[in-house]
Amino acid sequence: MTHPPKSAAPPVPGPGVPAAPGIPAQTPRPAPTGSPGPSAPRTAFAEGVDRLRDAATTEPGRLRIIGAVLALLVVAFGAVTAWQASERAAAADDVLHRSQPLSSGAADIYRSLADANTAASSGFLAGGQETAASRDRYEKDIRTAAAGLVTAAANAEPGSASEATIARLNKLLPDYKGLIERARTYNRQGYPVGGAYLRYANEKMQKEMLPAAEDLYTKENQRLDADYGDATPYPWIAIALGVLALAALGWAQHRSYRRTNRVLNHGLVAASAATTVALLWLVVGHAVARSDLNGSYDHGIRSLTVLHDARIASLKARGNENLSLVARGAETITVEGRTYDAYYYDFDKDMAGLGQGLTRAAKLADNQGGSAPVKAAEGNMAVWKQRHTAARTEDENGNYQQALDKVIGAKGATGECFDSVDANLAQAIDHEQSEFQQAAGDGRDAMAGLPVGAAVLAVLGAAGAVFGIGRRLSEYR
């Protein structure tokens, strides 16, 4: 029996397929918006973050992170401590061996120039028979000033104001020496023009050379103050890191105790001990250094500055006293309607400055070694003023030779008082210089070894932290 053939299944209408008779054609449906496309490859950084996040959810992973952070904190503390301690130790060494000696050297340049001017005027007053002592003193002062300028030039920063000042003094010094030699030559021949040359040389010294030397002294003192400013500030960054590292180590030990009931973790205890030693060394060492450096400034630098100023005032007073006799009233000054001898007027101002300086120096002196020469200089100054008054009276009365004897005579002259004042001030300066060197040296030594010691202790502390965390990690294996 034959069956009728089965009819073929009608094709399923779809895109591009025509619909069978009686069946409507289907239109293509648009792809839904927002459907995910092919995923982009992940970066190594993102995968690392995911692994770190996954590790942090387990105790071993947390311990590894804690160990890394502790080691980093301890190493950072040691590095910053070494850096800040090195900077302060270097600045303290500069105070002791560079800036303070250069400051004193600048004061010596000023003193030597002023003393050379005084010696030249004293020799001139002696007439054609200038003493060998006066000539030698002048030559020694000129050599000292020249040597000081060489040292200052070697230590001046290229292009700095100090370098320009030194160059100016080096140019003025030969000009001054030439004027002095002309004054001596004419003086030996008995020509009055010698006095004019001496006054011109003194004017060059007072208005050009000594102001330049004072400017150099001021700049070297500014450099000294800057070095003190670098040596004495507290190393707050290092101290803060040390405290933070100790706090983190303490927290890690407390966390370990809560999870294991073990009181001590030997590695973390060792790390804490090393960090504590480094922090105490930093704080105590710097406090001692700061105290000694401040002491060297208060009882050394301040006293030296006052004593240098007082010595310079005495030199200027002596020079004006001599020049008042050289000028014989040729130089006058009018103040508030009254006319004065210019050099006597300046002498009185310089003596007032000397008296004020000695009073301040006596107050700053902190022991007998510093106060005794200052008191002796005060006594010398009092006698000097008495003798100067007597010499001025003779000069004003027209007794020039008697006045000259009271100023440069062999005995009982004002020159003796000036020499005594200068010698006592030199003794006081030497004492204060020794006090400064002792205190500044102690301040520098208080930080000796700290940079290297802090670095070594930091390495040991970091190793201890890693070891302590490693012991805990071994319990999970």
Side-chain angles (χ1 to χ4, degrees), residues 380-394:
N380 301 143
M381 185 190 71
V383 177
W384 185 0
K385 292 172 70 174
Q386 293 173 0
R387 294 181 181 181
H388 172 79
T389 301
R392 183 184 292 191
T393 300
E394 295 288 356

Side-chain angles (χ1 to χ4, degrees), residues 145-375:
L149 288 173
V150 170
T151 301
N155 289 276
E157 296 180 1
S160 65
S162 294
E163 186 182 50
T165 301
I166 294 166
R168 184 163 177 255
L169 282 169
N170 276 323
K171 182 180 179 181
L172 290 171
L173 188 58
D175 295 342
Y176 172 80
K177 290 174 63 180
L179 291 171
I180 292 296
E181 291 307 320
R182 289 189 181 93
R184 282 175 170 159
T185 299
Y186 287 121
N187 188 46
R188 283 194 297 267
Q189 296 173 1
Y191 293 137
V193 71
Y197 272 105
L198 183 64
R199 290 195 298 274
Y200 185 38
N202 176 72
E203 183 178 359
K204 182 176 286 291
M205 176 66 74
Q206 298 291 343
K207 294 185 178 180
E208 297 184 59
M209 298 179 70
L210 290 183
E214 184 177 10
D215 181 60
L216 179 62
Y217 178 55
T218 300
K219 288 182 172 61
E220 294 300 341
N221 277 340
Q222 290 172 349
R223 187 194 298 197
L224 176 60
D225 290 341
D227 286 338
Y228 267 106
D230 292 337
T232 54
Y234 280 107
W236 292 116
I237 298 177
I239 293 174
L241 278 173
V243 173
L244 181 61
L246 278 180
L249 287 166
W251 171 83
Q253 291 177 81
H254 179 68
R255 183 179 185 276
S256 176
Y257 168 72
R258 290 180 61 185
R259 282 164 172 73
T260 65
N261 280 334
R262 295 171 187 167
V263 177
L264 299 177
N265 179 299
H266 294 162
L268 294 179
V269 169
S272 300
T275 305
T276 301
V277 170
L279 183 59
L280 288 176
W281 191 355
L282 172 65
V283 173
V284 175
H286 187 270
V288 172
R290 180 186 173 92
S291 176
D292 287 334
L293 287 170
N294 286 337
S296 72
Y297 188 88
D298 292 336
H299 303 295
I301 297 300
R302 290 178 61 195
S303 294
L304 284 170
T305 300
V306 171
L307 289 169
H308 281 307
D309 290 344
R311 197 177 188 188
I312 289 168
S314 72
L315 287 164
K316 292 171 71 174
R318 179 59 177 173
N320 284 317
E321 186 177 47
N322 289 341
L323 287 167
S324 65
L325 295 177
V326 173
R328 298 190 181 186
E331 300 287 341
T332 59
I333 185 173
T334 301
V335 179
E336 296 180 355
R338 298 185 61 181
T339 301
Y340 300 90
D341 181 294
Y343 296 111
Y344 280 146
Y345 183 82
D346 289 340
F347 171 87
D348 291 336
K349 290 198 304 180
D350 294 332
M351 290 298 281
L354 172 60
Q356 293 172 1
L358 292 176
T359 299
R360 291 180 59 198
K363 292 179 179 179
L364 290 172
D366 56 349
N367 53 42
Q368 183 67 19
S371 61
V374 174
K375 291 179 180 178

